[in-house]
Amino acid sequence: MQNTEQRQPHVPVVAGISDPILEGISNGWNVHESTDLADGTLLEADVIIIGTGAGGGTSAEILSKAGFRVLMLEEGPLKSTNDFRMDEREAYRDLYQESAGRMSKDGAMSILQGRCVGGTTVINWTSSFRTPEPTLNYWADEFKVAGFSKDDMAPWFERMEERLNVAPWQVQPNENNSVLARGATKLGIDWHQIPRNVAGCWNLGFCGTGCPTNAKQSMLVTTIPEALNNQSQLVYSARAERLIFEGSKVAGVEITALDKDYQPSGKMLLARAPHVVMACGAINGPALLLRSGAPDPQKRIGKRTFFHPTTFCFAEFDQLIDPYYGAPQSIYSDHFQWLEVSGKAGYKLEVPPLHPGLTSVLLMGHGHKNFADMEKLPNLHAMIALLRDGFHPQSEGGSIELAGDGTPIVDYEINDYLWDGVRRSWLTMAEIQFAAGAKAVRPSHVDAPWYHSWEEAQKGINALEFRSNAFTAGSAHCMGGLAMGEDKNKCMVDSDGKYHYLDNLYVFDGSAFPTSIGANPQLSIYGMACKQANALVEKLRSAQGKA
Amino acid sequence: MLKITTTRRGFMQLGTASAAALTVGGSLAALTGCSKAPAASGYKVLREGDVRFFRAIAPVVLDQSYPGTLGEQAPERLLHSLDRLIGTLQDYAQSQLLMLLDVMQVAPLRAAMGAPWADWEKVSHADIDAFMQDWKSSSIQLKRMGYGSLCKLLTMCWYSQPETFVTTGYPGPPKKIPA
Ligand SMILES: Cc1cc2nc3c(=O)[nH]c(=O)nc-3n(C[C@H](O)[C@H](O)[C@H](O)COP(=O)(O)OP(=O)(O)OC[C@H]3O[C@@H](n4cnc5c(N)ncnc54)[C@H](O)[C@@H]3O)c2cc1C
Ligand code: SF4
């Protein structure tokens, strides 16, 4: 039976919201679309920052506040409040890498990553966690990362939490999140409220398509406007194509101007500055260095790329869940995360928002089965488990390669070690869902039917076959590829984020993580970039003092 | 033993008995020049043959939701959405996908991959479904990857169209009135 009646959204009309970016531009910000500049234009600054996401935005604010002339380069378009119409089609096309169709080489992992001014922070779900202590300790032990103890980091996290208004979400969680809290409580599994970086959130649920109310404290409405107020320059639709080296220095950046369809327009620009910060994120950052032929004696560029491979388990309820409305993530459980630090893969439990386009992909399959699942949407709940990769000899992560045209290819294999985690996570999620009152549960594996009891699910899940491409492994957390640490056999950048083999190149973004984080990564990046950008300011100042 | 290589030319390099057929077919595809065929009129990437292929499999993949309230506009809307998505995939993923679509255009080649021999317009829904079921549970990784890609592309492009919301019960996003 097909639904034929359109239900009315029980969310308020969004009106009366200003667009701070349009206002800033009309007040004279130095902002240009690359194709508006003449072919061959030379851009100059004190510091070039490539990429305007979590790491880039944070660094731009700090460096520009300290009085340095900052040039921000961003390959994505500039979209802002008035463009955010909560439409999946527009959002994936304009705000995501490869229209949200990015995947690993073998197609087994779907990768969501941002591509717009503000980077992935424009489309993320606002969960804000400090880097877990076991992760920081592991980095110190295994990679000789210095100055990143829990106490070293606390003041930097505090600063960024204050800057981005991070606080535990006090509003009643939506029904999708409540399922996790309710089921976990029944089973004696501990859970907590998620801290979010929002100010005056309308509780709409559309963080993933760009916040229409400016409530989400993404880089787009916080650090980037501040950097522009501090005389920084922003050039968007501008892809850093190649770094130009002279001796042990980056002498300049060759830029491809992209057109409205996000394809090369034929124009090239050039940028020059004494210091260059890469903040173009995992995957693309390593690809830029590979394209440029950056010095890499140990052939480590792009190695140890991590994803928090994410598994999905769906549940059908009698009551309405409306999983597309309300703050997308407000409850989490770390119960299964740190049972062992470097043994079997641990995982964090959360829930994802379910908008129809993305949901159809996550459900997998085709024909009557897929459609029947889609018809359940209003009564559907989903839970996710984010597997912590990079803490075990059998979890060395993926690597980045280049396609013929210099674009990245992500080679990442879901192996037996991860599969063991996948199966355990499905069992955990199914048990919690049944405990919360689910009528039926189905892990996202093409062979899995709907199970109607926990006993049936347990048997069924244990019998599911491990075939790559047969189950959903997703990722919204791209990390690593330019590992940080003092151990040059394993690492590409030092603990200050400086590239080991170049004097004036820094990497301030998620690609510097030597393992995955074991928590949603944005606050880890903010804290790290804040610390490292401030150290860079000190270094540049003392160099100026000497000059 | 199956040895699967997922190199750049992965779809042409199945290390199985059918590999011979496939490679022959691959050169056949090259000879008939279908991978060099220009995009169909009005499209950026999809070629005439791809349009026919997607039109044929859409009702099977999307089941009763298709064409829904979009009626006669459904194929056009879906195909243009697909065209745009495939057009923004980067080199590697796009070339892999176009290679898969090449294979789908040449009867002996697609037959070697377990897809129907007849022209796509003439294949029954049951036969399309059978080939998709076969790919879904195949022991050959490339078939599973092909299955996953085709399903993901179609459903993502389809269920994000506002006209389909009524079939899934999604009430849609709140109204937005720019200031
Ligand atoms: C759907 C989704 C939900 C998420 N939810 C959360 C969450 O709730 N909590 C959390 O902590 N994390 C979340 N994340 C992840 C988090 O937002 C990212 O890990 C983080 O933003 C990464 O920061 P970054 O600085 O490394 O890179 P990004 O923020 O990705 O920024 C990199 C920028 O560089 C640009 N760029 C890339 N290459 C070039 C080039 N060559 N030239 C110029 N520019 C370039 C990109 O276009 C991009 O804008 C989510 C991610 C997604 C996709
Ligand atoms: S839930 Fe809050 S932060 Fe997210 S899009 Fe809605 S208003 Fe913005």
Side-chain angles (χ1 to χ4, degrees):
Chain A
M1 252 289 286
Q2 257 203 54
N3 293 320
T4 47
E5 241 169 79
Q6 184 83 50
R7 289 170 54 220
Q8 285 309 305
H10 59 76
V11 269
V13 172
V14 180
I17 306 285
S18 63
D19 187 322
I21 298 295
L22 293 181
E23 284 168 12
I25 291 174
S26 69
N27 289 332
W29 279 348
N30 192 349
V31 174
H32 294 283
E33 184 159 8
S34 63
T35 45
D36 284 348
L37 302 172
D39 190 25
T41 299
L42 174 67
L43 304 158
E44 292 191 276
D46 295 327
V47 184
I48 297 169
I49 299 179
I50 305 170
T52 57
T58 304
S59 312
E61 178 174 66
I62 291 164
L63 286 156
S64 65
K65 241 188 188 149
F68 296 98
R69 283 181 313 144
V70 170
L71 167 63
M72 292 179 268
L73 297 176
E74 169 55 55
E75 75 168 325
L78 174 59
K79 298 287 172 184
S80 55
T81 326
N82 284 356
D83 300 309
F84 300 149
R85 282 176 286 266
M86 300 168 276
D87 181 326
E88 283 188 277
R89 295 170 302 177
E90 297 178 349
Y92 301 150
R93 181 191 67 210
D94 294 332
L95 310 176
Y96 285 68
Q97 296 285 352
E98 305 186 61
S99 297
R102 184 163 263 194
M103 52 195 157
S104 57
K105 188 175 183 177
D106 66 1
M109 185 153 67
S110 291
I111 300 169
L112 297 178
Q113 202 181 13
R115 192 229 38 214
C116 57
V117 173
T120 310
T121 73
V122 172
I123 46 124
N124 80 18
W125 299 338
T126 74
S127 298
S128 305
F129 300 97
R130 292 187 182 191
T131 318
E133 192 177 8
T135 302
L136 293 173
N137 293 341
Y138 191 81
W139 291 358
D141 294 345
E142 298 289 323
F143 302 90
K144 305 200 173 55
V145 174
F148 275 71
S149 72
K150 185 180 176 212
D151 292 342
D152 290 331
M153 289 308 292
W156 304 106
F157 288 137
E158 255 162 52
R159 260 164 91 157
M160 291 310 293
E161 283 160 355
E162 194 177 318
R163 175 69 182 97
L164 303 176
N165 216 45
V166 172
W169 182 237
Q170 298 297 355
V171 176
Q172 175 71 24
N174 71 1
E175 195 49 30
N176 201 25
N177 279 276
S178 300
V179 170
L180 171 52
R182 202 165 60 233
T185 304
K186 276 256 176 71
L187 298 175
I189 292 169
D190 53 291
W191 55 269
H192 301 276
Q193 226 117 8
I194 293 183
R196 305 181 64 219
N197 58 324
V198 295
C201 170
W202 289 41
N203 202 17
L204 297 173
F206 293 83
C207 306
T209 49
C211 176
T213 69
N214 302 325
K216 173 162 57 173
Q217 299 297 286
S218 72
M219 297 300 99
L220 182 64
V221 300
T222 58
T223 54
I224 293 171
E226 196 51 33
L228 291 167
N229 287 336
N230 295 332
Q231 316 307 319
S232 298
Q233 182 175 2
L234 167 65
V235 181
Y236 61 92
S237 300
R239 177 161 69 216
E241 198 63 52
R242 213 164 268 104
L243 305 180
I244 304 161
F245 304 111
E246 251 175 46
S248 58
K249 286 197 159 176
V250 179
V253 182
E254 211 178 281
I255 299 159
T256 302
L258 301 173
D259 66 19
K260 298 263 184 246
D261 289 326
Y262 310 122
Q263 305 299 324
S265 66
K267 279 188 190 174
M268 300 290 291
L269 314 172
L270 197 65
R272 203 161 61 182
H275 305 277
V276 176
V277 173
M278 278 178 44
C280 30
I283 303 177
N284 289 16
L288 171 59
L289 289 177
L290 289 171
R291 278 200 297 275
S292 309
D296 179 18
Q298 310 280 348
K299 296 282 161 269
R300 298 297 300 164
I301 295 177
K303 298 291 190 293
R304 296 194 68 82
T305 295
F306 298 106
F307 290 98
H308 285 157
T310 299
T311 62
F312 291 74
C313 195
F314 290 90
E316 186 187 4
F317 282 81
D318 279 325
Q319 75 267 29
L320 273 179
I321 304 288
D322 279 335
Y324 23 73
Y325 295 145
Q329 298 194 311
S330 50
I331 303 290
Y332 76 98
S333 170
D334 270 347
H335 193 86
F336 303 89
Q337 181 67 289
W338 300 108
L339 299 174
E340 311 166 50
V341 174
S342 52
K344 288 179 176 173
Y347 45 88
K348 191 177 193 82
L349 297 174
E350 293 174 350
V351 312
L354 295 178
H355 297 101
L358 196 60
T359 306
S360 71
V361 170
L362 299 173
L363 283 164
M364 300 197 85
H366 77 280
H368 185 65
K369 247 181 113 184
N370 182 263
F371 176 57
D373 289 356
M374 283 302 290
E375 277 193 309
K376 301 183 200 298
L377 187 57
N379 299 72
L380 210 56
H381 149 90
M383 202 176 290
I384 52 178
L386 298 92
L387 269 58
R388 181 166 51 79
D389 50 346
F391 292 77
H392 188 276
Q394 282 170 51
S395 184
E396 295 277 335
S399 59
I400 305 302
E401 304 165 2
L402 293 182
D405 68 345
T407 52
I409 304 172
V410 178
D411 191 2
Y412 188 97
E413 193 200 351
I414 306 281
N415 58 12
D416 291 336
Y417 170 83
L418 290 169
W419 170 250
D420 170 69
V422 168
R423 195 205 311 272
R424 280 184 288 115
S425 75
W426 281 336
L427 289 167
T428 298
M429 294 191 282
E431 187 173 17
I432 295 175
Q433 288 165 326
F434 279 116
K439 174 159 109 174
V441 164
R442 192 193 144 229
S444 180
H445 183 303
V446 290
D447 297 343
W450 286 93
Y451 304 119
H452 293 90
S453 70
W454 164 228
E455 290 67 33
E456 192 195 344
Q458 212 171 356
K459 246 203 233 135
I461 291 170
N462 277 318
L464 285 173
E465 187 189 50
F466 174 30
R467 301 195 304 276
S468 67
N469 307 70
F471 60 95
T472 301
S475 176
H477 299 164
C478 309
M479 297 162 286
L482 298 172
M484 170 176 67
E486 304 305 324
D487 181 350
K488 284 198 189 179
N489 287 321
K490 297 178 184 162
C491 304
M492 296 309 301
V493 304
D494 68 18
S495 306
D496 289 331
K498 193 187 83 65
Y499 195 74
H500 275 306
Y501 308 100
L502 291 163
D503 297 340
N504 65 341
L505 180 67
Y506 294 81
V507 179
F508 297 163
D509 65 24
S511 66
F513 298 151
T515 62
S516 74
I517 293 290
N520 311 45
Q522 68 168 344
L523 185 54
S524 293
I525 300 170
Y526 298 138
M528 181 181 79
C530 184
K531 177 179 194 282
Q532 295 175 331
N534 274 291
L536 180 58
V537 165
E538 291 312 313
K539 186 170 158 180
L540 300 188
R541 279 203 178 129
S542 73
Q544 274 175 346
K546 273 184 224 139
Chain B
M1 256 303 278
L2 287 175
K3 189 174 164 289
I4 315 290
T5 43
T6 46
T7 59
R8 222 177 127 60
R9 297 174 47 74
F11 275 105
M12 306 289 164
Q13 292 186 340
L14 284 176
T16 67
S18 71
L22 266 178
T23 329
V24 172
S27 11
L28 212 120
L31 279 176
T32 55
C34 63
S35 56
K36 294 194 187 68
S41 114
Y43 291 90
K44 289 213 159 80
V45 189
L46 296 184
R47 303 149 300 185
E48 281 297 340
D50 307 331
V51 168
R52 281 199 298 275
F53 169 65
F54 280 123
R55 267 180 183 268
I57 69 167
V60 178
V61 174
L62 303 171
D63 198 59
Q64 283 174 58
S65 73
Y66 185 87
T69 58
L70 272 169
E72 286 179 0
Q73 287 175 39
E76 278 282 291
R77 181 75 76 78
L78 177 64
L79 283 157
H80 278 103
S81 172
L82 273 170
D83 187 51
R84 195 163 47 209
L85 203 169
I86 296 171
T88 53
L89 293 180
Q90 284 179 342
D91 195 50
Y92 180 77
Q94 192 181 98
S95 64
Q96 287 279 301
L97 191 67
L98 291 180
M99 227 176 282
L100 167 66
L101 294 175
D102 281 349
V103 171
M104 292 296 104
Q105 283 187 43
V106 182
L109 196 48
R110 64 173 177 260
M113 287 285 276
W117 178 284
D119 287 349
W120 285 110
E121 286 92 339
K122 295 184 192 131
V123 183
S124 70
H125 287 182
D127 284 350
I128 292 177
D129 186 59
F131 120 75
M132 297 211 59
Q133 295 291 357
D134 170 55
W135 276 31
K136 177 167 92 175
S137 45
S138 173
S139 60
I140 299 173
Q141 189 268 342
L142 278 171
K143 290 187 179 181
R144 299 198 302 272
M145 173 171 162
Y147 172 81
S149 305
L150 292 175
C151 294
K152 277 186 209 174
L153 287 169
L154 280 166
T155 63
M156 167 75 113
C157 288
W158 179 245
Y159 288 110
S160 54
Q161 302 297 330
E163 289 82 355
T164 66
F165 294 170
V166 70
T167 63
T168 59
Y170 172 46
K175 211 171 143 91
K176 168 111 196 256
I177 306 169

